Amino acid sequence: MISIRKSLAPKLSFGILLLAVPVFVIALGLLFNKSRQMVREEAVGHANSVLGTTMQRVVCKLGAVETATNANSWLVKQYLQPDSLLILAHRVVRFNPHVDGCSVSTEPGVFPKFGRYFSTYSISQADTVATVIEEEYEYFDRIWYKTPKDLEEPCWVVYFDDVDSLTLALDGMVASYCMPLYDDANRFFGVMTSGFSLLRLSKVIEEERPYPNSYFMMIDQDGYYYVHPDSSRLFTQTIFDDANPRQQAGIIALGHEMTKGKQGNMIVTIDGVHSHVSYQPVPGTTWSLALVCPESDILEDYHQLTYIVVPLLIIGLLLILLLCDRAVAHAIRPLNQLLDKTQSIASGNMEVYIPLSPREDVVGRLQNSFATMLQSLNFHLGSVRYTTDQTKRRNEELLQATRLVEEADRQKTVFIQNVSHQVRTPLNIIMGFAQILSSSGHSLPEEETKSITGMMDYNSKLLNRLLLMLFDSSEAGTSEELVIASKHEDVSCNDVAREAINYILKRYPQLIVNLQSEVNDDFCVHTNRTFLMRSLRELLYNSAKYSDGKHVVIRISHTDTMVRFVIEDTGKGIAEADCERLFKFFAKVDDLSEGLGLGLPLSKRHAVNLGGDLILDTNYHDGCRFILEIPLTNEKK
């Protein structure tokens, strides 16, 4: 027996070594690979975090310039005089530290005494603000003037300022927020711009870098560099210049991703350096910001770890070689005893008792496994019954899941049919009247023509309303709403109520709406005007459709923290059984009624995003009474 033990132990030791060494090496290799992957993932997360933080600073700076311009643009139209425009441009620069320069430039003939050109310009110089009327030059083709005029909306532009008509121009590259100006007749008469030096923006962007050699770069929709550590590339080179399609396909792919306004991460070789690039578009502009982190910086700690692990690997293999023989000899000692027990069980003797071993090695676990197996055989029938019960329960769960899928499919079909019906009706009306007008020429009486065009206008607005609600209810609409709802302004409660009433009266001229306000006309709430207006319009729209149309009331009151809009009507009201699903998307009291079941749910979501709520007063039984509450000062960002 002793000779067998002595011969078996070396054999087991040698076999274990043959198995352990490859496994050990492979496991260590996998560990290294996993560590490298984790380091990369951590670097991506860190880079995205730094990029996100930097993007917030950029957005805050751009937002401050936009706010300053938007807040003062209405004064241009109200005080359209040369002296007033000089004061206004001076005021924007003086009271807004983020603005380096502001100008108001007009179309030819706005001020006849100045001839074709009139442009005021203010610029911050040290601790003073210089404001003058620019000398005459052809500024109408400049990008900061032509772009907002063509787009008919505010926009951001970046340009290299090579015009110095007053020796007051910002040096070098300038980022400007340009707003087209229109008079009361909606005629374009000029552009108001507020800008700052890109050098200041570069300093804001470079405030935080995750690695010593990492850097930021920003490009426009054409790929031109606006921010880059190599200043010689700014405005003169694009990200695609000198990029070999075969050898530098990564840079070209990165350029296309950034110019298309996409967000993501890439591994790219830039200037011969293998780097990780995180990029995302700058909101409200056509620019894209990227953070470039060299991989040598990212994996620096990982490479240092290699010098520690390799010596540990050699020492570990030597320890395995020395201790393996002793461990094997000690481990196989109780095997013969276990062999006798198992042979007795194999012969059919189930009364054999195998005690549990206190050992934690392989042999001890083997003995405990045999002991557990013996106990398990005695409970085999019970286990079979348990398995049967579990199978039955899972079959029931699958049946329930199948029913839910079928119900979801049915609801999808009903929704598609409902959308088709709601869109087809106004569309058919518009197409029918359009065919009448095209085939009749000028033979129809003027009154009938007005009636037809009125019906076409009504149904086109109805169709637009349905499509707008569908977009708002989608994921893209939700994301857009959260962005827009974070932009607040002072809104007169009485003015917004009157505007909502006038909007509804254009569709329902016979409707009688009584406005009862406990606040003055100058009482304002700091919120988002767009979504407050949409909520009030939708509530009035429902009152117009489902009430008697003669007893619609809007009551406005306030507390120390909230403003309350109560919309009340007299009519059939809403059944108690339908109240619970009133604010659920695509749920309608009557499947054949007009609408998609989106109006009230969207109104409630608007209210919640504004920091308030929309509720149905169930204690009112003469019709419907909805209560819309929003905070006086909304701090939501």
Side-chain angles (χ1 to χ4, degrees), residues 103-106 117-121 132-134 137 139 144:
S103 70
V104 180
S105 306
T106 64
Y117 310 98
F118 179 82
S119 177
T120 66
Y121 190 51
V132 293
I133 298 176
E134 292 191 85
Y137 73 99
Y139 54 77
W144 54 266

Side-chain angles (χ1 to χ4, degrees), residues 21-159:
V21 172
V23 171
F24 188 66
V25 173
I26 292 174
L28 192 62
L30 293 176
L31 177 62
F32 261 73
N33 185 61
K34 184 63 176 179
S35 300
R36 186 183 184 94
Q37 182 180 352
M38 292 176 64
V39 170
R40 287 181 181 274
E41 292 176 353
E42 182 180 359
V44 171
H46 186 36
N48 287 336
S49 176
V50 173
L51 180 61
T53 301
T54 303
M55 184 65 73
Q56 288 298 320
R57 290 198 296 267
V58 173
V59 170
C60 288
K61 184 173 182 63
L62 298 181
V65 176
E66 292 180 7
T67 301
T69 308
N70 295 335
N72 290 276
S73 61
W74 67 275
L75 295 173
V76 176
K77 181 175 69 174
Q78 185 172 358
Y79 302 101
L80 189 58
Q81 296 296 330
D83 293 340
S84 299
L85 297 185
L86 285 168
I87 296 172
L88 177 61
H90 183 91
R91 173 184 175 182
V92 171
V93 178
R94 181 178 180 183
F95 293 105
N96 296 277
H98 294 283
V99 179
D100 290 334
C102 177
S103 70
V104 180
S105 306
T106 64
E107 288 282 276
V110 173
F111 301 116
K113 71 176 183 178
F114 288 94
R116 176 178 174 78
Y117 310 98
F118 179 82
S119 177
T120 66
Y121 190 51
S122 292
I123 186 171
S124 177
Q125 295 180 329
D127 296 332
T128 62
V129 177
T131 303
V132 293
I133 298 176
E134 292 191 85
E135 296 178 0
E136 294 183 357
Y137 73 99
E138 192 70 15
Y139 54 77
F140 304 110
D141 292 331
R142 296 290 175 179
I143 186 174
W144 54 266
Y145 192 94
K146 181 176 177 57
T147 301
K149 179 180 179 180
D150 294 341
L151 295 177
E152 299 183 353
E153 62 180 18
C155 62
W156 278 96
V157 299
V158 176
Y159 58 94

Side-chain angles (χ1 to χ4, degrees), residues 28-40 295-309:
L28 192 62
L30 293 176
L31 177 62
F32 261 73
N33 185 61
K34 184 63 176 179
S35 300
R36 186 183 184 94
Q37 182 180 352
M38 292 176 64
V39 170
R40 287 181 181 274
E295 191 160 295
S296 58
D297 286 7
I298 295 174
L299 299 178
E300 181 179 1
D301 294 338
Y302 171 80
H303 292 151
Q304 293 178 355
L305 180 64
T306 305
Y307 301 120
I308 299 174
V309 173

Side-chain angles (χ1 to χ4, degrees), residues 367-378:
Q367 181 175 338
N368 292 337
S369 297
F370 272 99
T372 304
M373 180 181 65
L374 184 60
Q375 295 175 3
S376 298
L377 290 175
N378 295 325

Side-chain angles (χ1 to χ4, degrees), residues 318-333:
L318 293 175
L319 289 176
I320 292 175
L321 181 62
L322 294 174
L323 299 177
C324 187
D325 183 66
R326 294 184 181 181
V328 170
H330 176 73
I332 66 173
R333 187 177 301 157

Side-chain angles (χ1 to χ4, degrees), residues 506-558:
K506 291 179 180 180
R507 297 190 178 187
Y508 297 93
Q510 303 302 322
L511 183 67
I512 300 175
V513 183
N514 183 14
L515 175 61
Q516 300 176 4
S517 178
E518 299 179 5
V519 300
N520 298 325
D521 285 347
D522 59 355
F523 183 83
C524 295
V525 58
H526 192 68
T527 188
N528 184 275
R529 182 185 186 89
T530 300
F531 292 111
L532 176 58
M533 176 64 68
R534 288 187 184 179
S535 298
L536 291 176
R537 287 178 178 176
E538 189 60 36
L539 295 174
L540 288 173
Y541 186 79
N542 284 342
S543 294
K545 287 197 303 182
Y546 302 116
S547 73
D548 59 5
K550 300 179 181 180
H551 301 85
V552 179
V553 180
I554 297 183
R555 297 189 178 91
I556 305 176
S557 60
H558 74 94

